Amino acid sequence: MIENLVSIIVPVYNASTYIATCVESLLVQTYKNIEIILFDDGSTDDSLAKCRQFSEQDNRIKVFTQANKGVAQTRLNAFDNSNGEFITFVDSDDYVANNYVENMLSHLKNENVDMVSSQVVIVKEGKEKKVVRYVEGRFDKKGIKRILRRFYLCDKRTLTTGITTYLCTKLIKREFVREALVAGLNLWYGEDQVGVTKLLYSIDSLYVSQDYTYYYTMNSSQATKKYDASLWQSMISCWQRQIDIDKNRILSKQLAYRMMLNINNALFAKYAYKLTNYNEFKNQISLVRENETLSILFDKKHLHITRKIDCVFYLLKRRHYRLLYCILRLKGLKK
């Protein structure tokens, strides 16, 4: 019996430190009929040279390169150069268990679904932590809508997403992939979340496994781990893309929760300690507060997420910027 070809797409950008661990985890997969697309996005280190060395060792590896265009465009270009009936994505600084592909494909076939989503292990400074999520099992179209409405972007039991919103951790039938990648183009923040949202609106069936076979490595060089003045607009663009996808407003309550979680995290984890004066803070945060995209958040009277997050929501809703700024500065001084 002829086995289905699975394409594993790996966008590569200045990943010299990590790429060997990533590729080696793919080469030892128990499912052998794979092609590994290493697509270099204009790296300035020796990532491309290392990718070419790997391709000389195993003919299942295909290497491409381009001038820097960002991860979303790189994934799309890699997809257009792939041949698999099923597609999965692995980031170049991550790695997977040796049965990752076999498990995912087995679930997809046994459950007769369009996409499988697995769980993730966070790896930080050599320590592993499983992210607990309670959504699992097979879902038809109605079940997927229920996830979107109640758990997708914020499961209040865990204060994380109900299923992983990474394009990684997914095995997807080829016919659904391109539109999902196009949906996230030109975003440097949230392109995965937008792509997965598009997938959930496109597919007819989903299986969420409890397999912890994907290892997500956190490191300080990741784009979303750094503060950037364009962070706010990037987040807003991400949310607006999801609003555009969500024609029937199934996602509106969940998206409001996600907006507030993202704003809270940005304020306390990335933003507060970079500010030097109140006027700078007020100018930037007021642009967020007044942006029309956030009307689905600030039209709400209450959120009932956590006391701390609800407090931030209240201060923003009432435009108490100076009080919020003082709280953030006090928090920063304790760091």
Side-chain angles (χ1 to χ4, degrees):
M1 185 175 70
I2 299 175
E3 292 185 314
N4 302 102
L5 179 63
V6 175
S7 295
I8 305 173
I9 291 175
V10 183
V12 179
Y13 179 71
N14 289 352
S16 178
T17 304
Y18 313 99
I19 191 64
T21 300
C22 176
V23 174
E24 287 165 4
S25 76
L26 303 178
L27 292 176
V28 298
Q29 289 297 298
T30 54
Y31 187 83
K32 302 301 182 184
N33 194 25
I34 59 176
E35 64 171 8
I36 302 167
I37 310 291
L38 303 180
F39 208 112
D40 178 70
D41 186 30
S43 294
T44 57
D45 62 7
D46 62 348
S47 294
L48 179 57
K50 288 186 175 181
C51 290
R52 286 171 172 161
Q53 288 174 2
F54 277 114
S55 69
E56 293 171 359
Q57 300 170 20
D58 195 308
N59 61 13
R60 295 176 298 174
I61 296 178
K62 300 177 181 178
V63 178
F64 301 88
T65 188
Q66 65 184 18
N68 183 257
K69 297 181 183 297
V71 66
Q73 185 66 59
T74 302
R75 283 177 176 151
L76 179 59
N77 292 347
F79 171 75
D80 288 341
N81 283 279
S82 70
N83 300 287
E85 298 170 68
F86 306 105
I87 308 294
T88 190
F89 298 90
V90 177
D91 284 349
S92 57
D93 52 355
D94 298 340
Y95 57 94
V96 296
N98 65 353
N99 61 347
Y100 174 73
V101 174
E102 183 177 13
N103 277 8
M104 298 275 272
L105 188 57
S106 176
H107 290 314
L108 190 143
K109 290 185 173 183
N110 291 340
E111 301 294 338
N112 188 27
V113 293
D114 296 325
M115 182 172 80
V116 175
S117 180
S118 69
Q119 304 303 322
V120 66
V121 180
I122 301 294
V123 182
K124 185 176 182 180
E125 297 177 350
K127 296 180 179 180
E128 297 180 359
K129 180 182 178 181
K130 291 182 177 179
V131 180
V132 176
R133 292 179 170 88
Y134 294 113
V135 175
E136 64 174 302
R138 190 188 190 282
F139 301 90
D140 58 12
K141 198 75 172 177
K142 288 184 179 179
I144 294 170
K145 287 182 179 179
R146 189 165 62 251
I147 292 172
L148 286 165
R149 185 177 289 113
R150 297 180 59 190
F151 304 114
Y152 171 51
L153 293 175
C154 176
D155 187 336
K156 289 189 178 182
R157 297 169 293 183
T158 60
L159 288 186
T160 190
T161 56
I163 67 171
T164 61
T165 55
Y166 310 121
L167 284 168
C168 306
T169 74
K170 307 291 185 292
L171 182 69
I172 315 157
K173 286 184 177 179
R174 184 179 187 87
E175 58 263 37
F176 299 104
V177 174
R178 198 172 205 285
E179 282 191 350
L181 295 176
V182 170
L185 285 178
N186 302 316
L187 294 175
W188 71 261
Y189 177 95
E191 70 281 349
D192 279 49
Q193 193 175 108
V194 171
V196 174
T197 301
K198 181 64 177 179
L199 284 166
L200 292 175
Y201 274 84
S202 301
I203 61 176
D204 293 316
S205 52
L206 165 71
Y207 183 74
V208 182
S209 81
Q210 283 299 306
D211 298 331
Y212 284 89
T213 50
Y214 191 97
Y215 294 80
Y216 178 89
T217 303
M218 296 184 69
N219 64 80
S220 59
S221 66
Q222 291 167 317
T224 55
K225 300 296 182 291
K226 296 180 178 180
Y227 173 76
D228 187 289
S230 64
L231 175 64
W232 294 118
Q233 186 54 54
S234 298
M235 288 197 297
I236 290 168
S237 297
C238 168
W239 301 328
Q240 184 60 55
R241 297 274 183 101
Q242 292 179 87
I243 291 170
D244 293 342
I245 294 168
D246 185 36
K247 302 296 185 185
N248 296 322
R249 295 183 61 81
I250 298 170
L251 194 57
S252 58
K253 190 172 184 179
Q254 280 282 296
L255 193 52
Y257 292 156
R258 175 49 46 185
M259 287 175 174
M260 199 59 241
L261 286 171
N262 286 157
I263 290 170
N264 180 78
N265 291 342
L267 286 172
F268 283 92
K270 299 177 182 176
Y271 191 67
Y273 320 120
K274 306 296 181 181
L275 295 175
T276 58
N277 61 76
Y278 169 67
N279 287 333
E280 179 188 357
F281 173 78
K282 181 182 177 181
N283 288 340
Q284 292 198 28
I285 203 65
S286 62
L287 290 175
V288 177
R289 172 63 182 86
E290 307 306 328
N291 191 284
E292 186 178 349
T293 297
L294 277 80
S295 61
I296 65 171
L297 170 61
F298 293 117
D299 283 349
K300 296 186 178 300
K301 293 183 178 179
H302 306 285
L303 288 181
H304 302 300
I305 301 177
T306 68
R307 186 176 297 177
K308 173 191 166 186
I309 295 172
D310 290 349
C311 178
V312 175
F313 166 73
Y314 176 82
L315 293 177
L316 284 176
K317 182 178 174 65
R318 300 295 181 183
R319 299 178 178 84
H320 295 321
Y321 302 138
R322 186 173 290 279
L323 179 54
L324 180 58
Y325 175 77
C326 290
I327 293 171
L328 293 171
R329 293 300 292 174
L330 287 171
K331 180 73 174 178
L333 290 173
K334 294 178 182 179
K335 296 289 281 187

